[in-house]
Amino acid sequence: MDILSVLNPEQRRAAETVEGPLLVLAGPGSGKTRVITHRIAQLVRNLGVSPYNVLAVTFTNRAAREMKDRLAALIPGQLDPLTIGTFHAVCARILRREGPAVGIDSHFVIFDDTDQQTLVKKVLRDLELDEKRYAPRALLSHISKAKSELIGPLQYGEHVSSYWEEIVLRVYRAYQEQLALHKALDFDDLIMSTVNLFRQQPDVLLRYQTRYHYLLVDEFQDTNIAQYALLRQIAGKYRNLCVVGDEDQSVYSWRQADLRNILNFEYDYPDAKVIVLEQNYRSTKNILSAARGVIAANALRKEKHLWTANDTGPLINVVETYNERDEARFVVDEVQRLTRRGRCQISDCAVMYRTNAQSRALEEAFIRSQLPYRLVGATRFYERKEVKDSLALLRFAFNPADNTSVLRIISFAGHGIGAKTVQHLETLGTSLGLPMFAVMLLVKHGPEAVPDFLPDLAAPRLPQAFRLPFTSRTEQLLSDFCALLERVLESARHHDVPELLDYAVRESGLREQILDGSEEGEGRWENVQELAAVAADHTGIESQIGLEALLESVTLSSEPDNYREEKNAATLITLHAAKGLEFKAVFIAGVEEGLCPHSRSTDDPKQMEEERRLFYVGMTRAQERLYLVYAFRRNLYGGSQPGLPSRFLADIPQALIASNRALAGENKPAAPATARPAAAPRPVAQAAAAGVVYQPGDRVRHASFGEGIVVSSKVTGADVEVSVAFPSVGVKRLSLAFAKLERL
């Protein structure tokens, strides 16, 4: 039987072209995994190549498993000698065997993200550098970037041009020394060390070049400089390097993926053959045409003419809802409508979004409707560390006797308070019948101060000859931390919940810890901003009443019994995590300026192109139905702001979008949401807070400080910081993520 008979003409060409360099440009849904596996089967089964001489690399264990499963059916009994795995797995295997030649112990351990952060924190202590000033995540991000470009500490030192880079260099050197001391490598080291091994040991490289006659690479657009250098080394003898990818789906530059690898492949290999897979097997004609309209606006791409033999399918639903709650309600109602009418199963539906913070409103809507869902690639909103840390501050303000919240606040704001001190606090509190905060008050002020802050407690009666079991230094640390908690309680007496949250996350240093200069930190801060949007519902309400309502709402929304982990459940997932998946019905939520595309990309043309590719990836996950949903107003940055439809919507041909008339039938969304053809985007407001840009001289009103005049306004990541001069209290710096200003 001809094993290639199931392939279309272009797929077959790719499978049969086995000699020399080959670039396969595979559009979404064009069967690239089928091509790779059938090409391996062609080599082994039809051409008699030993599986021992074939190397196939990809990026995820899931993709490697899928490749192995398919090959088991195509070349049964011949998988064992074949090398299939991720870049990191393949390199780890090589280094365990060959590493001792360059001083790498064969029993090395691999440090994960947590291990790396712990090590960098130790390095900062050893170098007497302030962890709050030089965030470990930001330092690791710069070190990772250097390693992905094959820049070791020595080479990094040759290009230092700023004080920050000097700090990175010092940490980089010490970090590598500590890794060596632990006989450890991080994930970036696995690649860089293998490249360096081959450079330093030509005989070792020759052995691997001689073994691997044929190399196949999946998702080539996601490779970084180090990975591409590794591939070129191994393929150096026979030059049978087949790379499969799609520059239109390159969305991982923040992981150091370098789009130039796929765009410049033909320059590196002038004799390379190029085959384009343009037939899409996944989506309807309408979905594919809409996606083509969006991606065509990018400049950094190779032209493809994607087509499909599938049905035309329903029009694209571009849906405007009033706010994020209405958006979530529309999605849930539409999922229920589709399943009731037998259009699909619940598990056939996916809701995608640009930022993890957007999942909060969607999760709550699914829970309220008792509709099963599964959150992929993220922790549920109210279980995320930065959200739980912020809530601990509010829980303490509501109930100062809550030891659990105090312990959590110590973990991120109790600098210098160690486990032994905490144990003493708990033991002393148990013996005296006092909560931990009362013990701290006892340390700081003496017994008489306890009832002032905890009126339900009388001043403790201390045993005769009672002595606190703390050193003077520890007493000072506890006094300082107690003062922080006192300030939080004082703020709760005078401010509503949004203002209290704003004050507490700043005063505790939590905001500074989260915004550590990394993109991950920006994402975590967006989650705190989303919590601020929830808090904004309690604006102007007396603090204790507002706190009670908010905390009860959070508890009910995060109740584990309300979440059912079922196979037949809708998928909630970020656009980044959705790559490689497919669903009958896809909802992309938050298709607005500032979200999709993200505000961080507004001033960078290359980043804006990546945002467009990310949106394209989301669109092409849909098989039959595609909903692009945006809100007229959205609770962002602590208040309700006008939304701007994403500029990407204007690139979809109008004929493909459901008109109001078309919505009367199959495409009609559930009330109260309305749908309309995509309009040309309105002008993009400066910064993340669309429509809330303040200029010097603007008159504003603050709930606590009264009227004032704007002195300055600047964008800080996804937030906007406004300095306002108030006659009563002077100049205040306010975050629009929390402070609700009214323009006068």
Side-chain angles (χ1 to χ4, degrees):
M1 184 186 74
D2 180 7
I3 59 173
L4 303 185
S5 60
V6 297
L7 305 181
N8 68 35
E10 293 308 303
Q11 290 174 334
R12 184 167 189 134
R13 276 188 60 213
E16 291 178 333
T17 305
V18 296
E19 299 298 327
L22 173 65
L23 171 61
V24 180
L25 296 173
S30 62
K32 66 178 178 62
T33 304
R34 171 180 283 194
V35 167
I36 293 172
T37 53
H38 279 76
R39 192 173 190 273
I40 294 173
Q42 166 75 359
L43 288 166
V44 174
R45 184 167 165 177
N46 291 351
L47 301 180
V49 173
S50 169
Y52 181 80
N53 298 128
V54 178
L55 168 63
V57 290
T58 185
F59 277 83
T60 66
N61 291 317
R62 181 178 63 83
R65 284 194 300 270
E66 181 182 358
M67 204 178 291
K68 289 178 182 177
D69 291 343
R70 294 196 188 191
L71 281 168
L74 292 171
I75 50 172
Q78 300 188 70
L79 279 185
D80 285 348
L82 186 68
T83 304
I84 300 178
T86 65
F87 276 94
H88 294 109
V90 170
C91 286
R93 196 178 312 169
I94 293 172
L95 289 173
R96 292 204 187 280
R97 184 180 298 117
E98 314 290 352
V102 289
I104 297 175
D105 192 289
S106 59
H107 300 289
F108 65 83
V109 295
I110 301 172
F111 272 21
D112 62 15
D113 181 66
T114 302
D115 298 326
Q116 290 176 262
Q117 289 191 64
T118 300
L119 201 58
V120 168
K121 289 177 181 178
K122 180 188 184 307
V123 166
L124 289 172
R125 290 195 299 272
D126 292 346
L127 295 176
E128 297 183 347
L129 294 172
D130 185 359
E131 180 184 323
K132 294 175 67 176
R133 185 176 180 186
Y134 305 108
R137 286 186 184 276
L139 290 163
L140 281 169
S141 177
H142 280 74
I143 293 171
S144 176
K145 184 176 187 300
K147 290 183 178 182
S148 75
E149 297 174 357
L150 298 174
I151 300 173
L154 185 62
Q155 297 91 335
Y156 192 93
E158 296 172 358
H159 303 286
V160 168
S161 60
S162 67
Y163 181 68
W164 165 252
E165 290 178 346
E166 177 64 36
I167 294 297
V168 173
L169 174 61
R170 292 171 61 192
V171 173
Y172 191 180
R173 285 172 175 163
Y175 172 70
Q176 291 303 109
E177 290 170 0
Q178 286 295 317
L179 283 173
L181 187 65
H182 287 78
K183 296 183 180 179
L185 301 176
D186 63 24
F187 281 102
D188 294 305
D189 282 328
L190 293 174
I191 312 296
M192 186 172 74
S193 296
T194 306
V195 172
N196 289 336
L197 164 71
F198 287 155
R199 286 176 175 174
Q200 297 169 30
Q201 302 291 325
D203 57 325
V204 175
L205 172 59
L206 182 59
R207 286 207 306 273
Y208 286 90
Q209 288 177 332
T210 303
R211 173 178 177 178
Y212 294 124
H213 296 199
Y214 298 92
L215 276 71
L216 299 94
V217 187
D218 191 14
E219 304 287 7
F220 183 62
Q221 75 280 348
D222 294 334
T223 55
N224 61 33
I225 290 174
Q227 289 162 337
Y228 188 28
L230 175 71
L231 294 171
R232 296 194 68 187
Q233 284 178 320
I234 299 176
K237 182 175 181 179
Y238 294 104
R239 301 181 73 255
N240 296 325
L241 175 61
C242 171
V243 300
V244 183
D246 180 11
E247 79 286 354
D248 287 336
Q249 298 184 70
S250 177
V251 295
Y252 293 126
S253 66
W254 50 281
R255 291 183 184 170
Q256 320 309 333
D258 198 319
L259 185 62
R260 294 172 297 179
N261 290 348
I262 193 168
L263 293 176
N264 295 336
F265 186 80
E266 295 163 80
Y267 294 97
D268 296 334
Y269 294 94
D271 58 333
K273 296 181 177 66
V274 180
I275 296 174
V276 185
L277 305 183
E278 296 176 316
Q279 182 175 0
N280 176 285
Y281 291 90
R282 176 186 299 148
S283 305
T284 64
K285 288 182 172 67
N286 281 341
I287 291 171
L288 200 60
S289 296
R292 279 202 311 261
V294 169
I295 200 62
N298 268 5
L300 295 174
R301 63 185 301 265
K302 295 175 181 285
E303 187 58 39
K304 304 179 199 70
H305 302 281
L306 297 182
W307 64 278
T308 183
N310 294 341
D311 292 340
T312 301
L315 296 173
I316 312 302
N317 284 298
V318 177
V319 181
E320 181 184 76
T321 60
Y322 180 69
N323 58 23
E324 74 278 2
R325 290 196 184 114
D326 191 28
E327 175 183 67
R329 189 163 53 246
F330 163 74
V331 170
V332 168
D333 290 347
E334 188 67 5
V335 169
Q336 291 177 319
R337 188 186 73 85
L338 291 173
T339 55
R340 279 198 309 267
R341 296 191 177 186
R343 304 288 188 251
C344 57
Q345 299 293 316
I346 294 177
S347 57
D348 295 325
C349 301
V351 190
M352 302 176 185
Y353 35 85
R354 176 62 178 85
T355 69
N356 274 309
Q358 291 172 256
S359 76
R360 193 268 310 170
L362 292 161
E363 288 183 71
E364 291 184 352
F366 273 88
I367 290 170
R368 282 195 301 269
S369 300
Q370 296 188 324
L371 196 64
Y373 74 94
R374 56 195 185 97
L375 191 66
V376 176
T379 307
R380 291 194 300 158
F381 180 79
Y382 288 114
E383 294 300 315
R384 294 168 190 165
K385 181 183 183 302
E386 59 276 8
V387 175
K388 291 181 73 106
D389 288 346
S390 302
L391 284 171
L393 292 162
L394 298 184
R395 291 183 198 277
F396 170 78
F398 180 69
N399 176 16
D402 179 3
N403 281 355
T404 301
S405 294
V406 171
L407 284 169
R408 188 165 193 101
I409 299 169
I410 287 175
S411 71
F412 64 83
H415 304 296
I417 300 177
K420 189 174 181 180
T421 301
V422 169
Q423 184 179 9
H424 283 322
L425 281 172
E426 292 178 308
T427 302
L428 188 57
T430 300
S431 65
L432 296 175
L434 296 174
M436 291 176 67
F437 176 54
V439 177
M440 293 182 205
L441 290 169
L442 188 62
V443 171
K444 185 172 188 282
H445 300 291
E448 64 280 358
V450 173
D452 293 342
F453 289 89
L454 295 166
D456 291 339
L457 292 177
R461 295 183 179 179
L462 302 180
Q464 288 186 346
F466 173 80
R467 292 186 62 188
L468 291 167
F470 304 115
T471 65
S472 57
R473 179 180 179 276
T474 301
E475 286 188 8
Q476 185 60 53
L477 290 172
L478 290 174
S479 295
D480 292 344
F481 182 72
C482 182
L484 164 65
L485 298 183
E486 289 174 286
R487 293 194 297 273
V488 170
L489 288 179
E490 185 67 19
S491 177
R493 294 189 182 99
H494 301 288
H495 300 113
D496 61 12
V497 176
E499 291 170 328
L500 169 63
L501 180 60
D502 177 19
Y503 178 85
V505 297
R506 287 174 178 274
E507 190 70 10
S508 65
L510 181 59
R511 182 183 191 274
E512 188 177 7
Q513 288 180 37
I514 294 171
L515 285 171
D516 57 9
S518 67
E519 187 154 336
E520 185 180 358
E522 293 281 356
R524 295 199 306 275
W525 180 244
E526 286 170 354
N527 288 329
V528 178
Q529 291 174 306
E530 184 65 19
L531 179 63
V534 178
D537 291 340
H538 306 279
T539 300
I541 302 174
E542 194 271 320
S543 175
Q544 287 297 302
I545 297 173
L547 281 171
E548 181 178 7
L550 171 67
L551 296 175
E552 180 178 314
S553 171
V554 167
T555 302
L556 293 176
S557 294
S558 57
E559 174 58 48
D561 290 342
N562 287 340
Y563 176 75
R564 293 173 288 165
E565 186 69 62
E566 299 180 12
K567 290 185 178 179
N568 191 26
T571 296
L572 273 58
I573 191 169
T574 65
L575 288 167
H576 278 104
K579 191 166 172 286
L581 304 178
E582 60 184 25
F583 304 88
K584 283 188 178 180
V586 167
F587 299 78
I588 303 182
V591 186
E592 301 152 32
E593 292 292 321
L595 283 177
C596 183
H598 199 281
S599 58
R600 289 196 295 267
S601 305
T602 303
D603 298 326
D604 187 335
K606 287 185 179 179
Q607 287 300 311
M608 186 56 69
E609 288 215 350
E610 181 154 326
E611 290 290 314
R612 185 180 294 277
R613 292 194 294 269
L614 187 59
F615 186 54
Y616 172 77
V617 164
M619 295 176 73
T620 54
R621 301 308 95 196
Q623 295 172 306
E624 298 176 4
R625 288 171 173 79
L626 177 61
Y627 299 80
L628 307 176
V629 193
Y630 65 93
F632 173 70
R633 300 186 70 82
R634 186 175 295 272
N635 264 329
L636 287 174
Y637 320 113
S640 179
Q641 314 296 348
L644 298 170
S646 170
R647 67 191 70 189
F648 301 152
L649 295 176
D651 296 316
I652 300 174
Q654 291 291 310
L656 300 177
I657 297 175
S659 67
N660 289 333
R661 177 171 297 179
L663 288 171
E666 173 66 24
N667 291 291
K668 184 176 181 180
T674 58
R676 61 181 63 179
R682 287 168 270 170
V684 181
Q686 177 188 1
V692 191
V693 179
Y694 292 98
Q695 302 294 335
D698 287 351
R699 295 181 65 245
V700 295
R701 178 184 289 113
H702 185 272
S704 300
F705 305 139
E707 294 186 10
I709 297 176
V710 173
V711 177
S712 65
S713 176
K714 69 175 182 177
V715 181
T716 57
D719 195 3
V720 179
E721 189 175 272
V722 183
S723 294
V724 183
F726 296 99
S728 57
V729 293
V731 177
K732 291 286 185 180
R733 288 193 306 164
L734 304 172
S735 164
L736 291 192
F738 295 98
K740 187 176 181 181
L741 291 178
E742 177 187 355
R743 195 189 302 273
L744 298 178

